Amino acid sequence: MSVSEAENRRQYGDVRKIAARARLLTCYTIADTGWFPWVAAQMPLDEGARLLDVGCGPGWFWASCGPLPTDLDLTLVDRSPAMVADALDRCSSLCLGRLAGEPADAVSLPFPDGHFDGVIAMHMLYHVDDPEKAMAEMARVLKPGGFLAVTTNGIGNMRQIYELTTVFGGMPIDPAAARFGFAEAENLMRRTFGSVSVHRHPSRLRVTEPEDVFLAMTSFPPGEDAGEAELSAFRNAIHAAFERGGGAIETEQERGLFISRKAP
């Protein structure tokens, strides 16, 4: 098992760690349209389409994206069996034509060539050791004319919050975007499919609860492994940032959706 594989299992063995990070986005985002409904509105979701969600996590997207076309055939896969089980349970009440799920690795999808009308990979390619191989697999299982939708973050995402994590050795920028951000997504999809359309979600954060910043940023390394002195310094940094902001931290979000079509 690679280092990143071991870390992914530690991070996504249950929903609590990802929930701590998601709380920042669900409770404090300021946007005309929420992230999940906005993504769903951009994607070409057709009635009766056969869709694959790679790295489905706990299935929050499908449960929160708003009304779905009728008779969707949805398959959920994730490297974490716990996440697949949680997603299947969460999506079981949706009006779908068919729902299935199984643990699977993005670089070795257990499906035949040309099987799906659409493949979705939301905020997951920065977890993959070989994103190019994973994208080739997603292209392989797409039907001719099918679409791939990828979401990720820009390098400036939540910068004012990530800068605080430097007290325990964190990056002053979004570490996910540093691994696989806007430029990497656009370039890889263009190389794989020939063209890509880019959509950016207009939104920002205004966080009013210091503890939510603390819990989110210490739910993954290096904050998760920080010592008592480093965590105390982090709490002090958060407190100072809230004082400077008049009781809140405001920061821009950079979240994007990239869509490509497989040649007919």
Side-chain angles (χ1 to χ4, degrees):
M1 184 189 303
S2 71
V3 174
S4 63
E5 286 175 329
E7 182 55 38
N8 283 341
R9 291 192 179 187
R10 181 161 72 124
Q11 285 297 306
Y12 297 98
D14 62 60
V15 76
R16 290 172 293 179
K17 293 177 181 179
I18 190 174
R21 300 190 286 275
R23 180 172 172 78
L24 281 184
L25 308 180
T26 56
C27 294
Y28 301 110
T29 291
I30 299 172
D32 290 338
T33 305
W35 169 244
F36 288 149
W38 179 85
V39 170
Q42 312 305 312
M43 291 195 300
L45 299 177
D46 299 325
E47 291 187 7
R50 179 181 290 171
L51 303 177
L52 173 66
D53 186 349
V54 181
C56 64
W60 287 331
F61 170 69
W62 301 102
S64 306
C65 68
L68 292 168
T70 59
D71 296 326
L72 283 182
D73 181 327
L74 177 61
T75 299
L76 306 168
V77 299
D78 197 285
R79 199 183 308 191
S80 164
M83 287 292 172
V84 175
D86 200 25
L88 285 171
D89 182 63
R90 181 165 284 107
C91 295
S92 62
S93 61
L94 300 178
C95 295
L96 299 170
R98 177 180 175 273
L99 175 66
E102 61 180 288
D105 196 308
V107 300
S108 183
L109 296 172
F111 308 106
D113 296 356
H115 191 66
F116 294 99
D117 299 296
V119 176
I120 298 162
M122 296 189 65
H123 281 78
M124 56 76 61
L125 279 166
Y126 45 74
H127 294 300
V128 178
D129 289 334
D130 190 342
E132 188 166 5
K133 185 175 181 180
M135 190 163 292
E137 270 291 273
M138 290 186 271
R140 178 186 65 79
V141 301
L142 272 177
K143 294 178 181 178
F147 74 91
L148 171 65
V150 168
T151 67
T152 191
N153 297 335
I155 202 70
N157 183 55
M158 294 169 46
R159 185 182 295 273
Q160 285 78 3
I161 290 177
Y162 283 110
E163 286 175 345
L164 303 177
T165 70
T166 57
V167 298
F168 54 63
M171 300 178 69
I173 56 175
D174 185 334
R179 288 191 293 270
F180 190 87
F182 284 177
E184 289 79 9
E186 183 173 0
N187 292 338
L188 182 52
M189 292 179 77
R190 198 175 299 281
R191 291 201 308 270
T192 304
F193 294 95
S195 64
V196 58
S197 61
V198 181
H199 313 263
R200 297 194 180 186
H201 183 232
S203 63
R204 60 190 177 90
L205 284 181
R206 187 176 189 275
V207 186
T208 56
E209 175 50 61
E211 188 66 9
D212 285 336
V213 176
F214 181 85
L215 292 175
M217 295 297 110
T218 57
S219 68
F220 60 95
E224 184 180 28
D225 303 315
E228 186 175 335
E230 292 174 314
L231 294 178
S232 178
F234 184 44
R235 285 194 183 276
N236 291 338
I238 295 171
H239 177 73
F242 270 77
E243 281 198 334
R244 291 193 301 270
I249 294 179
E250 295 200 29
T251 184
E252 292 300 313
Q253 288 182 300
E254 292 185 4
R255 290 189 286 182
L257 168 66
F258 302 78
I259 299 177
S260 290
R261 289 267 186 187
K262 186 173 181 178

